[in-house]
Amino acid sequence: MSRPPLSPGARATLAAQAQMPGPPFEQMSAPEARASFDTGWPALQLPPDPALAEGPVPLLLADRPALCWRGAGAPATGARALLYLHGGGWVVGSPASHAAICQRLAAACGAVVICPDYRLAPEHPFPAAAEDAIACLAALPQVAAELGLAPDRIIVAGDSAGGNLAAVAALAAARDPALPQPRAQLLFYPNTDAGQTHLSYRRFAEGFGLTARTMRWFRDHYARPEDHADWRLSPLRADPAGTAPAFVALAGADILHDEGRAYAEALAAAGTPVETRLWEGHLHGFLSHCRHDPAALEALAAAAQWLDRQGV
């Protein structure tokens, strides 16, 4: 089965990951995996850069603790409101682990980026994380005045499982006019189908960072088999008509590549404006690999440029 050659950044990331101690997540309990993840991510991420954004500012959003960054270019009033859902397979991760991404996205977009600490599995199984994402979207108007947000400039965004949650929030808004209506969604290598049957699961099952076994462990900690067809877990199985325009960033050497592309195609077929960008030869999670992979900053800049073209 043919595979694309890996980029230098991807190879450097794999070399760094190989030096990290500990077994794969599927050989750990969820608390052990969180501890391992929290120990390891600083070796892959760039540290926060105080020259790029103000913050973070503690914020309570929809009864969930959150961190907030105001990009240096964000106006005092009427700023873009970017709700960012962090990745981590619904089991690991936090606003702190994704602070460098959120900070640089705030700077690139001239936005106020809010990253909530949504509930994690298995202590809080499906649909807890999806419910939190939708609740945080619903709560944005409550903090709009305090943070100088424009209610008509809301963007939902996320990576991996966070991309799943961002897509779910956008779908929920399309179904419920009482919710704040996002103007755009930024989906970075999103998880869109709990079935895990796409070809990329076999092409990149081992040796490319996130493995098929680990992804199965994440999914099974979050959801039961009878949940797999629920659109709040598998957005690809939803009718996406009426959802916000989307920027979809894909990694070429990623088990989630095919379902991410399929979701972008489904959005386009339903009449949603979509821009799909492929980072060939890059790994799943490359936004979190910015210490080793320049594609991370390229993807954030591309998303910001797309928002400008959309006039959001």
Side-chain angles (χ1 to χ4, degrees), residues 131-156:
E131 290 175 343
D132 284 355
I134 296 166
C136 287
L137 173 63
L140 281 178
Q142 300 171 20
V143 298
E146 176 186 355
L147 297 177
L149 308 180
D152 61 347
R153 300 185 74 193
I154 293 173
I155 302 151
V156 292

Side-chain angles (χ1 to χ4, degrees), residues 259-299:
E259 65 192 73
R261 181 170 292 282
Y263 192 62
E265 292 171 351
L267 289 169
T272 297
V274 180
E275 179 165 320
T276 305
R277 292 284 301 274
L278 172 64
W279 272 265
E280 190 69 75
H282 290 273
L283 305 174
H284 182 83
F286 69 84
L287 287 191
S288 295
H289 305 158
C290 56
R291 187 180 290 274
H292 305 284
D293 194 342
L297 301 184
E298 293 172 8

Side-chain angles (χ1 to χ4, degrees), residues 208-224:
F208 297 89
L210 178 65
T211 68
R213 285 197 303 271
T214 301
M215 192 62 231
R216 190 179 310 116
W217 181 87
F218 280 135
R219 180 199 62 190
D220 292 349
H221 272 65
Y222 181 46
R224 305 166 301 172

Side-chain angles (χ1 to χ4, degrees), residues 18-288:
Q19 299 302 311
M20 294 179 180
F25 287 168
E26 60 268 23
Q27 296 177 21
M28 302 184 190
S29 68
E32 289 169 340
R34 290 181 197 129
S36 177
F37 180 81
D38 289 342
T39 299
W41 67 256
L44 302 176
Q45 270 287 15
L46 288 172
D49 183 346
L52 289 180
E54 303 169 12
V57 178
L59 178 72
L60 191 68
L61 184 66
D63 296 323
R64 301 303 307 161
L67 293 179
C68 173
W69 293 262
R70 177 179 294 276
T77 60
R80 287 168 169 163
L82 198 155
L83 177 64
Y84 193 91
L85 289 311
H86 68 79
W90 310 281
V91 177
V92 305
S94 67
S97 69
H98 285 62
I101 295 171
C102 291
Q103 184 195 50
R104 286 167 171 80
L105 196 56
C109 296
V112 175
V113 175
I114 299 165
C115 185
D117 195 15
Y118 60 83
R119 290 173 291 173
L120 297 178
E123 296 86 349
H124 304 283
F126 175 83
E131 290 175 343
D132 284 355
I134 296 166
C136 287
L137 173 63
L140 281 178
Q142 300 171 20
V143 298
E146 176 186 355
L147 297 177
L149 308 180
D152 61 347
R153 300 185 74 193
I154 293 173
I155 302 151
V156 292
D159 62 288
S160 192
N164 167 276
L165 298 175
V168 167
L171 287 166
R175 286 159 168 71
D176 184 357
L179 286 171
Q181 297 298 302
R183 289 278 302 280
Q185 49 184 323
L186 308 178
L187 309 180
F188 298 97
Y189 36 84
N191 184 296
T192 68
D193 186 358
Q196 301 187 355
T197 58
H198 292 270
L199 177 61
S200 54
Y201 266 89
R202 298 191 293 278
R203 291 183 72 201
F204 306 110
E206 295 285 343
F208 297 89
L210 178 65
T211 68
R213 285 197 303 271
T214 301
M215 192 62 231
R216 190 179 310 116
W217 181 87
F218 280 135
R219 180 199 62 190
D220 292 349
H221 272 65
Y222 181 46
R224 305 166 301 172
E226 54 265 39
D227 299 323
H228 291 181
D230 192 308
W231 64 270
R232 296 171 298 170
L233 179 63
S234 296
L236 186 57
R237 307 192 193 194
D239 177 2
T243 50
F247 176 88
V248 182
L250 303 176
D254 177 10
I255 59 174
L256 300 190
H257 170 273
D258 289 4
E259 65 192 73
R261 181 170 292 282
Y263 192 62
E265 292 171 351
L267 289 169
T272 297
V274 180
E275 179 165 320
T276 305
R277 292 284 301 274
L278 172 64
W279 272 265
E280 190 69 75
H282 290 273
L283 305 174
H284 182 83
F286 69 84
L287 287 191
S288 295

